[in-house]
Amino acid sequence: MHLLQAQRLTPVQFTNTKMPFFQGQVFASLGENRLLALSQDHVWLVKSDDKGATWQAQPFFSEEQLSQHPEMRVLYSIHVGPKGDLWMGCSRSLCRYDRGAFTVFGKKDGLPGEEWGAIHHDRQGTLWLRGNQHIYVLQSGANVFVDRSPPQEGQEKSGRVALLMADANDRMFSQQDSGLIRWSGKAWQSFDESNGLTIGGGINSILIDRDNGVWLGSVGRGLIHWLGYPNLENWTTEQGLPNNVVLSFLRDQDHLFHIGTRSGSAVQTTPRHFSVVEGRYGKTSHQWNSMVQDGKGRIWAGTLSGVLVRREPGSKQDILVAKLAMINNLFFDRAGQLWISTDRGLYVIRHPEADAKPLIEAEFSSIMGGPDVQVFRGCQSSSGTLWFLSSKGVQQFDGGRWRNLQLSPAAPEAELSTMTCSNDGTLWIGSMDGGLWHAAQQGNALKIDEATPALLQGKEIGGLIEDSRGWLWMATGNGVAVWNRKQWRFLNQESGVVWDDIDPDALYEDHDGSIWIGTSNGASHILHPETLFSSFSLEVLVESDGGDGRLPGPTKSIRLPWTSGPLNFKFAVLSYQNRETVQFHYRMKGLEQDWSTTTVPEVRYPALPPGRYTLQVTADNVSMQTSSPTTEVKVEILPPWWRTTVFYTACGVFLTILLFVADRYRVRRLLARQRLKGRQARERAYELELSREEERRHLTREIHDELGQYLSALRMGVSVVGMEFGEKNPSLQGKVQRLVSLVDGTIKVVRNIVSALRPGALDLGVVSALEWLAEEFTENTGIRCLLHVREEKITLDEKRATTIFRIAQESLTNVGRHAEASRVDITLERQENRYLLEIRDNGKGFDPDLRKKKSFGLIGIRERAFMLGGDANIISVAGAGTTIRVFIPIDGACQAQ
């Protein structure tokens, strides 16, 4: 189910149920936002309490009501009558529900059992029913249904959708196997392929639009529009014409209607068929270009081959009157004379009832300079003056003499080819080269004024007549134009005319005021010309395609995001009369000042700048001379994302963040550079420390090995001297002893220097070195120093062992100098992938935040730890001692770090 909202059909979503629908008469309106719907043999009340925003559906009948009327279990159609009662095709009956009461109609009411799929009330209150094969009606106030079924031979196919639809004149439409049927008031009229209606697999829908146009939905042939309905009917060889090229018409005194064609003439024998005239001269070999009837009822006809024939009343055989040059026009004047315009002069039969021989009009030939003049058309004005249009201008005969009138101000450059006399004594003249002129006599001259309307510019005019209403009709190669002295209308195939190419002079007013039009593809009959000028309104609809194809809502305003692509607007005028002459005038107010005109219902604006605009559109139909009011659509083009407040705010935030990040990056770069320099300095210091350590090792080895050997040799030598000469020389013995003591002291000093440079215990491992360091510290300072090693065996590489030793050595030096402690504890243990060295004293402690920046001992401790990827924490509280904790990663952890 779809609902028309803002010019677009949108699906209706029910909040409480889902309803599938089948084709046929399944909806009935109950007023605004309320309707009945037939779905799966159930009638639902569909309503909206919020003006169409949401819809709810609930069963219209209760289970109790349905149980009491089992025929309501199968439903085919629903219809709300003019009194508000509900009619339903139920089972094989007709059901009516009115104010809680059910009525079932069937055989007792004259209604046979059938699946009634279509129900309709006409304006007279007659109820129409359509089943698979039958149509029944119930007259207003009657109690018995009447059979109005069409002939059953056209109702044999099954599976069709039952249809009933009335036009503006209350004529009922339905369908048959081969096409369409329409009730004329007495019988059904059939429309099928013989009328140009091709329906494919059948008709499954009928619509009458607001202009009373008929639209048919077909199976396999798409949407069919009955052009010109109901004012135009067309006739071709399918309806009995001998040829589709129609040249002339005549309604005789017996009310028989004659049509002259390229292959002879035909007479209308039935309302829907023509028959070829029996006894026609030449049968179908002549082109009957002009037909007239005299006062005695005799029909005179002329052909393009120059044959002039006559048929007496009641006769079935033509009489050959004469053979002339090509006959262009025949007419009787008020005196009963027959005037014959030919390609080689003007002829007249002055007494058709006595002497039928046509004579050349001598006076006319005299003023023309000879008889060999092409005469196109002749007519008689209301004053009795005869007028003729020839290849040499306009000639006049007032009953006394002939005149060849001069055209004033000047003759048109176009060749004048057709003419008609107006009721006011003036002339209308047309040209096959294009152009219409209005002429009036002024003395011996003919004042001629250009009168070509805009819709006829560039169109050749082949025929002119003025009807009894004073309306001017013009035949062109593109259709027929009519002027009611106030407005113009232009009719062509889009209007329902059988063909655009109107044959010259093939315009005829019938006795009832209707107009016949001859074309090269059949004849058209305008049944009610007065309806051509009925009030006609245009309204422009605008659709935008801004990426989503949206339609302006009731407020006619749209908001679209900016795009670099074009913005398209599509126009539509919901009128199908002469659509080819509809043109649109538009402008985008706020962007342009001038109006533009197009016949294409679409305009494109490339990349509109952001802002507010107003699209103004109006339409006019040139053929119908009707304009629409101006439609305005407010258009707001939103700025692109880079020109929005949000974007500017985001840019500000982004720039702030960017500056912040840049500053942080700069600071981090500086810090990284500082860290790099610090790391490089530490690495350099570490390298220097390693170099110094290596130098100490080297010096220690040199002093121990070289100087130690020399001192040992010196002591041994002095001792030997004392043993050899001391007994003989006591004074020498004393000197030798002093030298030996001096050498021993020197050896001890050397050993102390060696230990200070690099204790030999380091070569035995870090634990041995720390044990030696603790003993030396206790011995030198008197402060008790205890070593705690949690593991039996600790193996470290020389770098780490030396670093741990030097940190412990530096810490003990600080304790000895500053701590005033009585005990020091040294702890070495392994924690997962690192070693912990802790030196804890019970001295006076200090405030780490107030220590001097030049506390090189503490700085050295940290630097040594950092060099190996470790860390050093110094914890001290005044009066509670100091704890130094150093973490040294093992070799693999150091590489990972």
Side-chain angles (χ1 to χ4, degrees):
M1 178 176 172
H2 290 72
L3 179 68
L4 183 64
Q5 291 181 324
Q7 304 174 20
R8 187 178 291 277
L9 286 170
T10 57
V12 174
Q13 302 295 335
F14 296 102
T15 58
N16 60 340
T17 188
K18 291 184 178 180
M19 290 192 299
F21 295 102
F22 191 66
Q23 59 188 357
Q25 197 168 325
V26 296
F27 295 113
S29 176
L30 296 178
E32 186 175 7
N33 295 326
R34 285 171 55 88
L35 73 152
L36 296 178
L38 176 59
S39 174
Q40 295 181 323
D41 295 321
H42 286 79
V43 179
W44 297 80
L45 174 61
V46 180
K47 62 180 180 178
S48 174
D49 297 327
D50 49 12
K51 298 183 179 180
T54 60
W55 291 84
Q56 302 82 36
Q58 63 188 45
F60 186 71
F61 296 115
S62 66
E63 284 297 327
E64 181 181 359
Q65 290 174 310
L66 294 177
S67 64
Q68 294 174 358
H69 299 278
E71 62 274 0
M72 294 288 294
R73 296 293 184 180
V74 180
L75 299 176
Y76 299 102
S77 59
I78 57 175
H79 167 72
V80 174
K83 298 179 180 180
D85 46 351
L86 176 61
W87 297 80
M88 296 162 285
C90 54
S91 296
R92 295 180 64 80
S93 304
L94 177 67
C95 295
R96 179 191 181 197
Y97 176 76
D98 186 18
R99 299 178 181 90
F102 281 92
T103 305
V104 179
F105 298 87
K107 292 183 179 179
K108 67 181 188 307
D109 307 292
L111 191 64
E114 195 164 337
E115 299 172 358
W116 302 107
I119 309 171
H120 185 85
H121 275 91
D122 63 20
R123 293 189 183 92
Q124 285 71 40
T126 300
L127 177 66
W128 292 71
L129 300 179
R130 171 75 203 227
N132 292 330
Q133 293 181 322
H134 296 91
I135 296 178
Y136 274 75
V137 298
L138 180 64
Q139 299 286 349
S140 178
N143 298 319
V144 179
F145 284 84
V146 177
D147 187 1
R148 280 193 183 169
S149 301
Q152 291 303 298
E153 60 269 18
Q155 309 293 319
E156 298 174 352
K157 297 185 183 298
S158 62
R160 71 164 59 89
V161 180
L163 299 175
L164 287 172
M165 181 64 66
D167 66 9
N169 297 319
D170 216 21
R171 290 178 291 190
M172 192 62 62
F173 279 97
S174 190
Q175 82 270 48
Q176 61 180 355
D177 294 343
S178 60
L180 197 65
I181 55 176
R182 184 183 67 187
W183 181 252
S184 65
K186 295 181 179 180
W188 289 100
Q189 293 177 311
S190 176
F191 303 92
D192 49 27
E193 288 194 8
S194 64
N195 306 100
L197 176 60
T198 303
I199 61 171
I203 296 174
N204 55 18
S205 60
I206 304 174
L207 173 69
I208 308 297
D209 64 24
R210 63 183 180 182
D211 295 327
N212 203 25
V214 177
W215 297 81
L216 308 176
S218 71
V219 179
R221 298 289 294 185
L223 182 65
I224 301 171
H225 185 198
W226 188 337
L227 297 174
Y229 183 87
N231 196 29
L232 267 167
E233 57 183 20
N234 296 320
W235 306 80
T236 65
T237 53
E238 291 288 342
Q239 287 76 45
L241 297 184
N243 194 287
N244 278 334
V245 179
V246 177
L247 303 174
S248 59
F249 304 97
L250 175 68
R251 175 78 66 179
D252 65 22
Q253 296 176 0
D254 297 326
H255 301 289
L256 291 178
F257 192 72
H258 304 255
I259 290 185
T261 75
R262 186 174 181 272
S263 300
S265 64
V267 175
Q268 187 176 13
T269 53
T270 69
R272 295 299 301 169
H273 196 269
F274 280 81
S275 298
V276 174
V277 176
E278 296 181 4
R280 174 61 70 191
Y281 178 81
K283 297 183 180 180
T284 61
S285 60
H286 292 286
Q287 304 177 64
W288 297 95
N289 189 43
S290 184
M291 294 186 292
V292 293
Q293 188 175 32
D294 61 22
K296 301 293 185 178
R298 293 173 295 189
I299 297 176
W300 299 73
T303 72
L304 294 180
S305 56
V307 173
L308 178 64
V309 298
R310 183 185 75 235
R311 174 166 292 196
E312 299 291 335
S315 174
K316 295 184 178 180
Q317 189 70 37
D318 287 343
I319 299 173
L320 177 63
V321 176
K323 290 186 176 180
L324 308 172
M326 184 175 71
I327 297 175
N328 296 317
N329 173 239
L330 301 174
F331 78 94
F332 280 99
D333 62 18
R334 294 175 187 172
Q337 300 178 108
L338 176 62
W339 294 89
I340 308 167
S341 301
T342 75
D343 268 4
R344 302 195 64 179
L346 177 63
Y347 292 82
V348 62
I349 300 178
R350 301 195 183 279
H351 304 286
E353 69 282 358
D355 185 6
K357 182 179 180 180
L359 302 174
I360 192 74
E361 177 55 45
E363 293 187 32
F364 176 85
S365 300
S366 175
I367 63 170
M368 292 291 101
D372 195 9
V373 177
Q374 189 177 15
V375 183
F376 302 117
R377 185 82 174 176
C379 62
Q380 188 171 25
S381 69
S382 57
S383 62
T385 302
L386 298 179
W387 297 87
F388 293 89
L389 179 67
S390 71
S391 57
K392 294 188 177 182
V394 179
Q395 292 76 42
Q396 177 199 53
F397 179 63
D398 59 7
R401 65 172 182 153
W402 286 88
R403 293 188 181 88
N404 188 13
L405 300 179
Q406 297 295 322
L407 302 183
S408 174
E413 295 183 2
E415 182 181 359
L416 306 180
S417 55
T418 186
M419 179 185 68
T420 189
C421 294
S422 178
N423 294 331
D424 60 5
T426 59
L427 299 176
W428 291 98
I429 303 174
S431 170
M432 290 294 290
D433 296 329
L436 175 68
W437 292 268
H438 190 208
Q441 183 178 4
Q442 291 183 346
N444 292 327
L446 192 66
K447 185 177 184 298
I448 186 169
D449 296 315
E450 175 80 26
T452 310
L455 61 88
L456 290 181
Q457 293 291 339
K459 293 181 173 64
E460 70 275 14
I461 298 177
L464 292 168
I465 66 167
E466 186 177 276
D467 65 16
S468 58
R469 290 172 290 261
W471 296 4
L472 182 64
W473 297 79
M474 282 155 285
T476 77
N478 303 95
V480 60
V482 55
W483 181 49
N484 70 347
R485 302 285 175 169
K486 294 180 180 179
Q487 289 181 300
W488 286 93
R489 291 287 187 267
F490 191 77
L491 309 177
N492 54 18
Q493 281 185 272
E494 294 293 328
S495 313
V497 176
V498 68
W499 198 246
D500 284 345
D501 184 19
I502 312 301
D503 287 325
D505 297 321
L507 295 173
Y508 180 80
E509 182 182 10
D510 210 337
H511 294 173
D512 59 1
S514 61
I515 300 295
W516 289 84
I517 304 168
T519 78
S520 56
N521 194 39
S524 292
H525 187 196
I526 302 177
L527 302 175
H528 305 285
E530 63 277 1
T531 62
L532 297 177
F533 294 93
S534 300
S535 59
F536 183 78
S537 61
L538 294 179
E539 180 184 359
V540 179
L541 303 182
V542 180
E543 177 181 3
S544 71
D545 183 8
D548 57 0
R550 71 180 67 180
L551 285 163
T555 58
K556 293 187 177 179
S557 63
I558 54 176
R559 299 175 77 243
L560 299 173
W562 180 89
T563 175
S564 59
L567 176 60
N568 295 335
F569 290 94
K570 296 179 180 179
F571 307 144
V573 174
L574 298 186
S575 175
Y576 303 94
Q577 297 187 28
N578 296 91
R579 292 179 60 82
E580 79 285 354
T581 61
V582 173
Q583 56 185 11
F584 299 93
H585 310 278
Y586 66 94
R587 70 173 177 177
M588 185 68 75
K589 193 175 180 180
L591 179 70
E592 54 192 352
Q593 295 294 326
D594 298 330
W595 290 79
S596 301
T597 300
T598 179
T599 57
V600 179
E602 183 175 356
V603 297
R604 174 177 297 184
Y605 284 95
L608 281 177
R612 289 183 172 87
Y613 307 91
T614 300
L615 176 65
Q616 297 177 316
V617 185
T618 182
D620 61 59
N621 189 319
V622 178
S623 295
M624 306 301 291
Q625 291 200 324
T626 305
S627 299
S628 73
T630 301
T631 297
E632 293 190 350
V633 177
K634 303 293 183 182
V635 180
E636 181 179 0
I637 304 298
L638 301 177
W641 59 268
W642 62 86
R643 291 183 60 182
T644 61
T645 303
V646 174
F647 176 73
Y648 291 149
T649 303
C651 286
V653 173
F654 176 75
L655 289 176
T656 302
I657 295 175
L658 184 62
L659 292 174
F660 174 77
V661 171
D663 182 69
R664 294 290 297 170
Y665 178 75
R666 182 182 65 83
V667 172
R668 291 182 67 180
R669 286 291 301 273
L670 292 176
L671 293 176
R673 185 175 299 175
Q674 289 180 353
R675 286 195 295 269
L676 177 61
K677 290 182 178 179
R679 184 171 64 252
Q680 291 175 344
R682 286 193 298 271
E683 290 174 354
R684 182 60 181 163
Y686 184 61
E687 291 173 357
L688 292 175
E689 183 63 26
L690 291 177
S691 178
R692 285 196 297 267
E693 196 65 36
E694 185 64 27
E695 187 65 25
R696 289 192 189 102
R697 185 184 294 110
H698 178 70
L699 289 175
T700 300
R701 187 179 296 112
E702 291 294 327
I703 292 172
H704 181 273
D705 293 344
E706 300 294 333
L707 184 57
Q709 289 179 9
Y710 285 131
L711 289 175
S712 297
L714 179 61
R715 188 179 186 283
M716 292 176 63
V718 172
S719 297
V720 170
V721 171
M723 287 188 293
E724 290 182 359
F725 301 102
E727 294 179 359
K728 297 178 180 181
N729 191 351
S731 60
L732 180 61
Q733 183 67 30
K735 292 181 181 178
V736 168
Q737 288 296 326
R738 286 194 294 275
L739 287 173
V740 169
S741 298
L742 181 61
V743 171
D744 287 341
T746 304
I747 291 173
K748 185 176 182 179
V749 170
V750 169
R751 287 177 178 173
N752 290 336
I753 292 173
V754 169
S755 298
L757 289 174
R758 178 179 171 79
L762 273 174
D763 296 331
L764 301 176
V766 67
V767 176
S768 298
L770 292 177
E771 289 175 346
W772 176 84
L773 181 61
E775 292 174 358
E776 285 290 316
F777 179 74
T778 301
E779 182 179 349
N780 292 333
T781 62
I783 302 173
R784 186 181 179 185
C785 183
L786 301 177
L787 176 64
H788 308 280
V789 179
R790 304 293 173 87
E791 297 184 14
E792 295 181 359
K793 184 178 181 180
I794 295 180
T795 303
L796 290 173
D797 60 82
E798 186 176 350
K799 282 193 303 183
R800 285 164 177 75
T802 301
T803 299
I804 290 174
F805 177 79
R806 293 303 182 191
I807 291 174
Q809 187 180 43
E810 182 66 32
S811 301
L812 292 178
T813 299
N814 290 336
V815 171
R817 290 178 179 176
H818 310 292
E820 300 178 4
S822 60
R823 177 175 173 165
V824 180
D825 292 284
I826 301 175
T827 302
L828 180 63
E829 64 177 344
R830 179 169 179 171
Q831 295 181 346
E832 296 181 354
N833 58 353
R834 63 182 181 176
Y835 282 100
L836 170 63
L837 174 64
E838 183 180 87
I839 300 97
R840 185 191 301 272
D841 66 59
N842 62 352
K844 63 181 181 180
F846 65 93
D847 186 354
D849 294 333
L850 299 178
R851 70 180 184 271
K852 296 180 179 179
K853 293 183 178 181
K854 295 184 179 182
S855 298
F856 295 111
L858 298 178
I859 294 175
I861 291 173
R862 285 195 175 92
E863 290 298 326
R864 288 178 185 274
F866 290 161
M867 290 176 188
L868 293 178
D871 191 15
N873 296 327
I874 300 172
I875 305 171
S876 182
V877 179
T882 302
T883 299
I884 299 176
R885 306 184 73 189
V886 179
F887 298 93
I888 301 297
I890 62 177
D891 188 42
C894 181
Q895 292 177 0
Q897 185 172 350

